[in-house]
Every structure is written in C-alpha cells, then in structure tokens.
Amino acid sequence: MNERYCEVTVEGSIEVVKGFVTGFLEGQGISGDVFFGSDYHIEKGSPVGLLMRLTGIRGETCTLVVEAGLHELLAAALEKRRRIVPLRVLKVRPVVSAAFDVSFRTFSRAVGAELRELFGSLPEGVRLGEGFEMQEKVTPEGKGVDAYAPLHDYELHGRGRIEGAVKGVFTLYHHLERFEVVERGDMELAHDE
C-alpha cells in the first residue's frame, strides 16, 4: 500500500466544492479517494485567515485530501469552469502520512469487544502510536448495578494516537465515528516538503 496523496486547498464554500468534485468525478467515471477536510476535522482556522475572510481579502477555503494525480484533473476542471463555478485551487502539498488522537470509555461488553477488534486489526499501514493504552477491567461485584452507579461490572477505556498510511488512517477515523463513546481529535497531516 504505497498510495500517494495530496492536500489541496480550494477557495470556495465546502458545499459547492463537494458538489463540484463529486459531480466531476462521477461524470468522468473517475474513481479515487477524496477526503473532505470538514468530514475529518482537518480544517483549522488560523486567526490571520479568519481576519482575512472578515475583511473580505480572501474568501472561504476548504481542504481536500486526494490521491496524487486527481488534484491535477480537478484543478484543470475548475479552471475550465471558473466563470460558472467560482472555485480555484490555492495550494497543493504532498502528504506522506496522517494521524489523530483518540480516547474512549465504555461500560458495554459488546462495544468493548468491537473496539478491541477494531484496534487489534488496524488497516494496512496504520499503527498505534507510542504510548497508546487500552485497559479492560472486570468487577464481578458490580453486576446488576444501575448504569449511572460508580461501580460497573465491565469497563474498557483507552487513549492514544493513531498514525500511518493516509487511506488507512482516514478509513479508521471514519469507522470510529459510529461509536458514541469514542472521541476523535483533529486529523493531522505530515507533508513531504
């Protein structure tokens, strides 16, 4: 799994960018990975960027992470339709890896089993960062106690960093979204510069 990716910053609203990119790829029959920054908490508004938008110097921007090669097709399509769709590529940076922090706590054996399975069989190229910890505690005397009581018969908690191959990290981030007990930090990208 040696896929290459690029972070692409586009000037325009995320709704318009999503619509254009999705329509373009579907219309051209192009397949490839496109991760929208707003779905993965990549967007980090800097104070300078916010000030520029408030003063009207620069419009809204959004971030995409796409397979290398797709960014060129998208940039060409955006330039071709610039009069109709006011979007433009501002910046393209190669991405070598991705990472995010995660924490979780559950008192459900079923959810605990799913999380142990998920963290035990990571996507190809993805690893648990140094210091990642996961602890399971079984307390038989807590069985039958109310859900809001201080003592539970089962608990799984953990925290740490997930890092590695771009596609695998984004895939895991997306899978963890379905667990209410999991808190995911912002996605962080490492660039090849």
Side-chain angles (χ1 to χ4, degrees):
M1 183 169 175
N2 199 12
E3 298 155 340
R4 294 176 35 222
Y5 290 83
C6 292
E7 176 185 14
V8 181
T9 304
V10 178
E11 184 175 38
S13 73
I14 186 62
E15 294 82 14
V16 176
V17 172
K18 272 188 175 183
F20 184 87
V21 169
T22 303
F24 172 73
L25 294 176
E26 288 297 318
Q28 296 294 317
I30 299 170
S31 63
D33 295 323
V34 177
F35 305 105
F36 295 97
S38 59
D39 296 338
Y40 296 90
H41 303 275
I42 295 174
E43 315 290 346
K44 291 186 178 91
S46 71
V48 173
L50 179 60
L51 181 60
M52 290 174 76
R53 282 194 295 280
L54 289 174
T55 58
I57 295 172
R58 189 178 84 194
E60 188 176 359
T61 62
C62 62
T63 302
L64 314 170
V65 175
V66 301
E67 283 186 55
L70 276 183
H71 71 284
E72 294 165 346
L73 297 173
L74 289 171
L78 287 170
E79 188 57 40
K80 189 175 183 179
R81 300 283 184 234
R82 186 140 169 73
R83 289 185 178 179
I84 301 167
V85 183
L87 303 173
R88 71 183 175 111
V89 174
L90 298 175
K91 189 185 214 180
V92 176
R93 297 168 65 187
V95 177
V96 294
S97 65
F100 65 94
D101 292 323
V102 65
S103 65
F104 54 91
R105 173 168 290 191
T106 184
F107 303 107
S108 163
R109 287 180 188 269
V111 171
E114 287 184 68
L115 289 173
R116 280 194 329 276
E117 170 66 26
L118 203 55
F119 290 117
S121 59
L122 297 170
E124 185 178 346
V126 177
R127 63 193 167 280
L128 302 175
E130 188 176 324
F132 184 93
E133 61 181 22
M134 181 166 47
Q135 293 183 331
E136 188 173 42
K137 186 165 82 173
V138 178
T139 311
E141 58 271 18
K143 189 161 184 70
V145 175
D146 186 296
Y148 297 103
L151 184 64
H152 300 276
D153 69 322
Y154 176 84
E155 179 182 354
L156 176 73
H157 62 92
R159 67 175 173 205
R161 190 161 185 79
I162 307 295
E163 54 194 25
V166 174
K167 182 175 184 171
V169 170
F170 275 83
T171 300
L172 183 59
Y173 192 96
H174 178 71
H175 286 310
L176 289 171
E177 182 177 22
R178 67 187 177 98
F179 293 95
E180 291 180 10
V181 298
V182 175
E183 290 188 28
R184 301 163 300 157
D186 293 340
M187 185 70 74
E188 298 172 25
L189 304 175
H191 298 93
D192 184 20
E193 300 184 81

